[in-house]
């Protein structure tokens, strides 16, 4: 299935708009990630543990949205938007939501 953030696909005609599709996930951060991220804040650099959590959340939300679109008979999702929010007490959890428009493209 083709996934894109653009509202159309160059060279392809949208034959049918199937509808809005979404995918969401909430991932908890644990004390060890927080500890190592705190050290990274002090000494500088990137926090690979948090980057992995972000990537995992994005992949899970996109996969869920893709499964929803496939169940509706779509072969592509256009106009995808990703949102990241912290939730829970003290922002201890990360929520990733993905939404887009499920479509049927001709000649895919």
């Amino acid at each position: 299935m083709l996934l894109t953030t653009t509202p159309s696909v160059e060279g392809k005609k949208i034959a049918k708009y199937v509808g809005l599709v979404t995918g969401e996930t909430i991932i908890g951060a644990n004390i060890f990630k927080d500890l190592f991220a705190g050290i990274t804040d002090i000494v500088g650099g990137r926090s690979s543990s948090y980057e992995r959590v972000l990537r995992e959340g994005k992949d899970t939300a996109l996969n869920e949205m893709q499964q929803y679109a496939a169940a509706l008979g779509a072969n592509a999702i256009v106009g995808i938007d990703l949102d990241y929010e912290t939730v829970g007490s003290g922002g201890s959890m990360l929520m990733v939501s993905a939404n887009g428009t499920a479509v049927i493209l001709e000649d895919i």
Side-chain angles (χ1 to χ4, degrees):
M1 178 172 297
L2 179 67
L3 305 176
T4 181
T5 58
T6 60
S8 61
V9 178
E10 187 174 341
K12 302 290 181 186
K13 180 181 177 192
I14 295 176
K16 181 178 180 183
Y17 289 88
V18 178
L20 177 68
V21 288
T22 61
E24 300 86 14
T25 187
I26 297 177
I27 299 175
N30 66 37
I31 189 168
F32 297 111
K33 288 179 187 166
D34 289 341
L35 175 65
F36 290 120
I39 293 169
T40 301
D41 282 345
I42 293 168
V43 298
R46 296 171 58 169
S47 173
S48 61
S49 59
Y50 275 124
E51 288 173 354
R52 273 193 303 277
V53 170
L54 284 170
R55 196 172 308 111
E56 178 185 342
K58 175 191 63 98
D59 291 345
T60 301
L62 287 172
N63 186 44
E64 184 178 298
M65 182 178 63
Q66 187 174 346
Q67 289 176 8
Y68 183 25
L72 295 174
N75 63 3
I77 304 172
V78 297
I80 293 174
D81 180 51
L82 292 167
D83 291 309
Y84 298 86
E85 296 288 334
T86 55
V87 295
S89 62
S92 62
M93 302 185 81
L94 174 70
M95 178 179 72
V96 181
S97 61
N99 62 70
T101 303
V103 298
I104 297 174
L105 296 177
E106 290 181 350
D107 303 316
I108 188 166

